[in-house]
Amino acid sequence: MITGIRELATPSVLRTWGGDVFLGAWLPGHHERLLRQQPEKTPEIVQSVTDYGIYLIDRRGLIRSWNRGAENITGFVPGEVLGQRFDLLFPEQAVRDGVPRRTLELVRANRHSRDEQRRRLRNGGEFLALSSIDSVRTESGELQGYVEVFQDISEARQREERLYQRATRDPLTGVARRGHFLEMAQLELERARRFAEPLSIVVFDVDQFGKINDVYGHEVGDRVLVSLARAALAHLRRIDLIGRLGSDEFAVLMPRANKEPAAEIAQRLRRIFGEQRVPVVGGGREIGYTVTLGLAALRPTTRDVAELLRNADSALVKAKREGHNRLEVWFE
């Protein structure tokens, strides 16, 4: 019976306590001595561990043992993996990319590897494994094989991702929340200064958005915002970041772009938004919308993101004074 499982950040030596086996903190070298002195006993000792996969790999990369935890996690039974290559446990793409080979080479060179890796399930699926592998050597240092301890952390990472999305993403449009956008923008501004690279920001809002809500209802207004966000995400560069700053106000951070290419990107977005159509609730028809934009580029005198945004807002105000569906670029 397993009475307790403590930290498994590195493989743990199996100890007995009152006849019960449990995983305790595995001090460096304990597992090597165990495997050198009684390698035939190790699979028997770890066989009943069910929450963690623990198994041996010989120096040729062939699997030599397989405990219940490994079977529970992957679905593979011992008869399907014993004598097979370590590659069997990886998705095809990872094998083609040489991940299993590089992993064992790393352990051979450094005696230890700890990593998160995509692993293969018997049913053809995949899971994210937290893997810790140590080399097993003789007293003279000759490599005998490897021992891996792994666990499935897929659900934990998915929970973390959901929490991250809730904290950083606008629930309606899926773009960055204001706070997250400003935080990332400040980091990007500091990076741009450090490497002497250009940086621009464009702010925009939907023309006559209040009228859309009044005439067609807030559900249609929400559809307009979702349409705008999707169109922007589909056409921005991978390095650009879009955030929702207010009700219908958005901003796009454009790293490595001074005002000329940034203005081209902004004008392209303006045209794309003008081509979008949003269905009217119960009306059997669609409406279009336009945006007005203000653009500002990072200058040597720009103090922070707040100032860069103020400059872009000033350009937006000027653009609105002169009409709608247009772009204005800020100049000192």
Side-chain angles (χ1 to χ4, degrees):
M1 181 177 70
I2 307 301
T3 60
I5 296 179
R6 294 194 294 173
E7 179 62 38
L8 269 172
T10 60
S12 300
V13 66
L14 289 160
R15 298 184 290 168
T16 60
W17 190 346
D20 295 332
V21 178
F22 74 101
L23 292 171
W26 198 342
L27 299 177
H30 278 188
H31 62 290
E32 292 193 22
R33 286 196 295 273
L34 174 65
L35 293 171
R36 281 199 306 269
Q37 296 166 5
Q38 290 183 302
E40 73 285 352
K41 292 291 186 181
T42 304
E44 177 184 336
I45 295 172
V46 303
Q47 179 58 36
S48 60
V49 177
T50 58
D51 292 333
Y52 295 86
I54 308 173
Y55 67 101
L56 305 178
I57 307 167
D58 68 21
R59 62 184 179 183
R60 296 175 298 170
L62 303 181
I63 300 169
R64 290 306 182 188
S65 70
W66 197 246
N67 80 325
R68 290 179 185 172
E71 180 178 343
N72 290 343
I73 294 171
T74 67
F76 286 111
V77 298
E80 296 171 318
V81 297
L82 294 180
Q84 299 298 313
R85 296 192 62 79
F86 180 51
D87 298 22
L88 174 72
L89 307 180
F90 289 79
E92 291 182 4
Q93 186 59 52
V95 175
R96 287 195 293 269
D97 293 340
V99 175
R101 172 182 53 79
R102 290 199 304 271
T103 297
L104 294 186
E105 287 176 352
L106 177 64
V107 181
R108 186 180 301 115
N110 299 295
R111 293 179 175 261
H112 176 72
S113 172
R114 177 178 167 84
D115 195 11
E116 293 182 9
Q117 298 177 330
R118 301 300 304 180
R119 293 293 181 90
R120 178 186 170 202
L121 294 170
R122 185 180 185 277
N123 63 12
E126 298 179 12
F127 70 99
L128 183 62
L130 177 59
S131 162
S132 185
I133 306 179
D134 281 74
S135 63
V136 181
R137 299 176 182 273
T138 64
E139 293 290 350
S140 63
E142 180 184 357
L143 178 69
Q144 286 186 311
Y146 313 87
V147 57
E148 178 177 34
V149 178
F150 71 93
Q151 63 185 118
D152 184 352
I153 60 170
S154 303
E155 290 188 6
R157 289 293 177 267
Q158 289 169 2
R159 286 195 299 271
E160 291 175 5
E161 179 62 22
R162 287 194 294 269
L163 290 173
Y164 177 79
Q165 292 295 329
R166 290 174 187 171
T168 62
R169 296 292 161 180
D170 174 57
L172 175 64
T173 63
V175 303
R177 288 180 181 267
R178 180 186 179 90
H180 182 63
F181 178 86
L182 296 178
E183 179 182 354
M184 293 297 100
Q186 184 61 39
L187 292 175
E188 194 62 40
L189 184 147
E190 294 169 2
R191 189 200 64 79
R193 280 194 172 139
R194 185 164 60 252
F195 295 103
E197 293 181 346
L199 176 72
S200 296
I201 195 166
V202 60
V203 296
F204 54 92
D205 54 29
V206 179
D207 296 328
Q208 299 181 322
F209 184 67
K211 184 177 179 180
I212 292 175
N213 281 330
D214 293 340
V215 174
Y216 301 105
H218 289 277
E219 183 176 347
V220 174
D222 286 349
R223 290 182 181 182
V224 167
L225 300 180
V226 171
S227 167
L228 180 151
R230 288 177 177 172
L233 290 170
H235 292 89
L236 287 171
R237 302 173 303 166
R238 292 179 62 87
I239 62 173
D240 297 332
L241 175 66
I242 179 172
R244 184 182 180 189
L245 304 188
S247 173
D248 65 314
E249 183 181 8
F250 294 80
V252 175
L253 184 73
M254 291 176 277
R256 303 173 191 170
N258 58 29
K259 64 176 180 288
E260 286 79 15
E264 292 181 8
I265 295 172
Q267 289 286 22
R268 183 168 69 249
L269 284 178
R270 183 186 62 80
R271 291 191 294 269
I272 290 169
F273 294 150
E275 296 169 354
Q276 305 304 305
R277 293 295 178 268
V278 175
V280 175
V281 179
R285 60 192 183 92
E286 299 176 327
I287 63 168
Y289 60 90
T290 59
V291 302
T292 301
L293 311 91
L295 171 68
L298 179 65
R299 298 173 64 88
T301 57
T302 306
R303 290 186 295 271
D304 51 26
V305 168
E307 181 177 348
L308 189 61
L309 275 172
R310 284 196 298 271
N311 294 340
D313 278 328
S314 297
L316 176 60
V317 170
K318 181 179 179 182
K320 289 182 176 180
R321 283 201 303 264
E322 299 183 11
H324 295 295
N325 191 23
R326 60 188 310 276
L327 167 71
E328 189 70 34
V329 180
W330 179 84
F331 292 98
E332 277 188 337

